Amino acid sequence: MDNFPLIILGGMIGLVAAVIIIKQPYVGVVITVISAPVIDLIPPIPYFPSALPLVGAVTLVGYLLKIRGAGGKLKIKFDSEHLLGLLFIIWVFVSNPQAAWSGTDRNWIFTFVQLLVLMVMAGGLIEAPKQHQVMMSLFAAVSVISAFTAISQGYIGEDIAASARVSGFAAGANDAARYFVVAMVFLTYLRSKTQDALLRLLLLASIVVTYIGVFFTVSRTGIILLFIAQLLILIFQRQGKQRIQMLVIFGIAFTVMLILSDAILEIISSILPSITHGTDTIGLRYQLWRAGWKMWLDHPVSGVGIGMFFHNSYQYMSQIPGVSPRALVAHNMYVQILAETGIVGFILFMSILVRSMRNFWVTAHLPDPEQTKLRDVWLIVFLVMLIGGITKTDHIDKLLWMVMGLSVRFAQLMQAPRDEKVPDAGIPVTGSEG
């Protein structure tokens, strides 16, 4: 009974949130995605691991109400990306029903259905530039809080082994690094959209915080992604003046980083040798990828079953000479999908990624210049996620599936003007000559 007032308060907050989401269902998509950088702050609730599944359910109701046509008929448009996602889910179940439905850590079918629904709703609900900017602002805000926490908790030593790896409020250091990079991309865009001096200064400080946060995770992939994201921002920037400003911003952030820890240069210089020589955790990843390759060779069509890489890795690593076997995930999205779902699942999953990339590629010049700028931002985020997937298993990352949904939306914006038919003027009618 002592918790009864808190239960009532939580119920009232939940009811208010439900009403807001029903009226503005894109808010539910935003809440779902921005939870990733601060997932450790989201408490469990009775009968659910967290409130997020309930948020998703309410968002779906709001989405279905929004797309009702005349007579209450639903107008759901499934594009090829959505159909490929559905086929992938069906294959995941058909190829290994027990692993898909009764996995040791989750119901994988339920997880992928949620992600597919998120993909569909993201493309159908996040339309106006203001909605994109709300998404970016809130994602950046929670990421800055997480990054600031990571900086306050972390320590950068002379090398990676001597450093304290931190993750803020994210699930892990590698997750945190990716989200901080994405937040930096969002903040850079948002800063370019405002002329308010105080707000620009606040956004600059936030960029520096996320920048430093990446280094405090001591994630080598995260550091590489940070530099790649910076390069892509400069490439996609169409105005020379803005490009110079961004170079100055990145220079300020890196200088502050060096002031905080001069050992960061040593860590950066160690990245390439560790990749080429396969030392420490990089070498472990190579061993896991070899084990994943062996899994696929033994189960080329169906794979070992979704979520089963972890349970099979020890056995397959034991077959590699000089390797200490361990039970781990593949630390590679592509290897994990290939080993767990076989060549069929791999082709279906890769087809979704390829189609999404194609959507971004063909929308380089949208009719609305503002939508083109948004497309550039989301393409950078998509590339960061795809490259990051080389060293991390991100196939169930909410942000990845949401961005794929947005790619469909941009493709629809490109197609819309082509679908508008000019009314047929018919045979001109002339007056009688007299």
Side-chain angles (χ1 to χ4, degrees):
M1 295 298 294
D2 292 340
N3 295 329
F4 187 72
L6 292 177
I7 295 174
I8 295 296
L9 178 61
M12 293 176 61
I13 293 174
L15 183 60
V16 172
V19 172
I20 294 173
I21 292 172
I22 290 291
K23 297 181 69 174
Q24 296 288 339
Y26 91 94
V27 174
V29 175
V30 172
I31 293 173
T32 299
V33 174
I34 69 170
S35 66
V38 289
I39 195 66
D40 280 354
L41 292 180
I42 302 177
I45 62 174
Y47 309 110
F48 291 94
S50 72
L52 292 178
L54 296 180
V55 171
V58 175
T59 305
L60 179 59
V61 172
Y63 172 69
L64 294 176
L65 292 174
K66 181 178 183 294
I67 63 175
R68 283 185 306 171
K73 294 182 179 180
L74 297 178
K75 294 183 177 180
I76 303 178
K77 181 181 179 182
F78 287 99
D79 288 88
S80 57
E81 294 79 8
H82 305 142
L83 294 176
L84 286 167
L86 181 59
L87 288 174
F88 175 74
I89 294 172
I90 293 173
W91 174 254
V92 165
F93 179 76
V94 170
S95 60
N96 197 317
Q98 183 174 359
W101 192 260
S102 305
T104 55
D105 57 344
R106 68 174 69 230
N107 182 316
W108 286 94
I109 297 301
F110 184 59
T111 296
F112 280 118
V113 167
Q114 286 181 297
L115 291 170
L116 180 59
V117 171
L118 174 63
M119 180 182 176
V120 173
M121 293 194 300
L125 294 175
I126 303 179
E127 304 172 320
K130 186 67 175 179
Q131 293 173 326
H132 287 267
Q133 291 163 6
V134 168
M135 165 75 78
M136 295 178 186
S137 299
L138 293 177
F139 188 96
V142 298
S143 296
V144 168
I145 295 171
S146 183
F148 188 82
T149 303
I151 294 169
S152 65
Q153 296 174 343
Y155 168 75
I156 299 178
E158 296 180 357
D159 53 30
I160 291 178
S163 302
R165 300 195 66 184
V166 290
S167 57
F169 298 120
N174 292 321
D175 298 84
R178 282 156 179 74
Y179 296 141
F180 296 164
V181 171
V182 171
M184 184 274 293
V185 175
F186 289 162
L187 289 164
T188 303
Y189 164 77
L190 293 170
R191 190 175 185 275
S192 71
K193 302 305 297 180
T194 181
Q195 298 301 320
D196 184 270
L198 182 60
L199 183 56
R200 287 174 65 86
L201 182 61
L202 177 62
L203 291 171
L204 173 60
S206 299
I207 291 171
V208 173
V209 170
T210 55
Y211 196 104
I212 297 173
V214 173
F215 286 97
F216 269 79
T217 64
V218 201
S219 168
R220 280 170 291 206
T221 303
I223 294 171
I224 293 173
L225 291 176
L226 177 65
F227 292 136
I228 290 175
Q230 289 177 295
L231 179 61
L232 290 172
I233 289 172
L234 295 173
I235 291 173
F236 283 110
Q237 180 52 243
R238 293 171 170 83
Q239 299 179 9
K241 182 179 179 181
Q242 289 282 352
R243 190 175 287 128
I244 293 174
Q245 290 181 6
M246 290 174 184
L247 282 171
V248 171
I249 292 172
F250 297 148
I252 292 173
F254 192 70
T255 300
V256 173
M257 182 68 253
L258 292 179
I259 293 173
L260 290 176
S261 175
D262 54 5
I264 198 63
L265 291 177
E266 185 67 27
I267 292 177
I268 294 174
S269 64
S270 70
I271 293 177
L272 184 58
S274 64
I275 293 174
T276 55
H277 295 99
T279 56
D280 52 71
T281 58
I282 298 296
L284 176 60
R285 281 177 168 82
Y286 293 164
Q287 295 166 7
L288 288 166
W289 301 349
R290 291 171 63 188
W293 181 256
K294 287 180 175 292
M295 285 185 207
W296 177 68
L297 291 177
D298 285 347
H299 308 83
V301 178
S302 61
V304 296
I306 192 70
M308 297 302 292
F309 188 103
F310 178 89
H311 303 285
N312 286 272
S313 60
Y314 188 96
Q315 172 191 345
Y316 280 91
M317 290 181 74
S318 301
Q319 301 173 15
I320 304 174
V323 172
S324 299
R326 300 173 66 178
L328 295 169
V329 295
H331 285 280
N332 182 301
M333 176 170 65
Y334 311 101
V335 171
Q336 184 117 357
I337 287 293
L338 179 64
E340 292 186 348
T341 66
I343 191 62
V344 177
F346 180 78
I347 291 174
L348 289 171
F349 184 78
M350 290 301 298
S351 296
I352 307 172
L353 298 181
V354 170
R355 286 287 306 181
S356 299
M357 178 58 72
R358 177 187 174 278
N359 289 338
F360 283 118
W361 184 263
V362 300
T363 55
H365 302 286
L366 289 165
D368 182 358
E370 184 56 39
Q371 292 285 358
T372 300
K373 293 177 182 177
L374 289 168
R375 168 264 180 194
D376 292 345
V377 174
W378 289 113
L379 174 55
I380 293 172
V381 172
F382 189 49
L383 290 171
V384 166
M385 298 300 291
L386 293 183
I387 298 171
I390 296 174
T391 60
K392 187 173 175 293
T393 46
D394 283 333
H395 55 291
I396 57 172
D397 191 284
K398 300 182 189 71
L399 182 61
L400 175 64
W401 285 78
M402 188 210 69
V403 176
M404 292 192 293
L406 292 180
S407 79
V408 177
R409 174 61 184 169
F410 288 123
Q412 291 171 348
L413 290 176
M414 179 62 78
Q415 186 66 32
R418 301 174 187 171
D419 293 339
E420 294 177 0
K421 297 181 179 179
V422 178
D424 187 3
I427 300 174
V429 178
T430 59
S432 61
E433 296 179 2

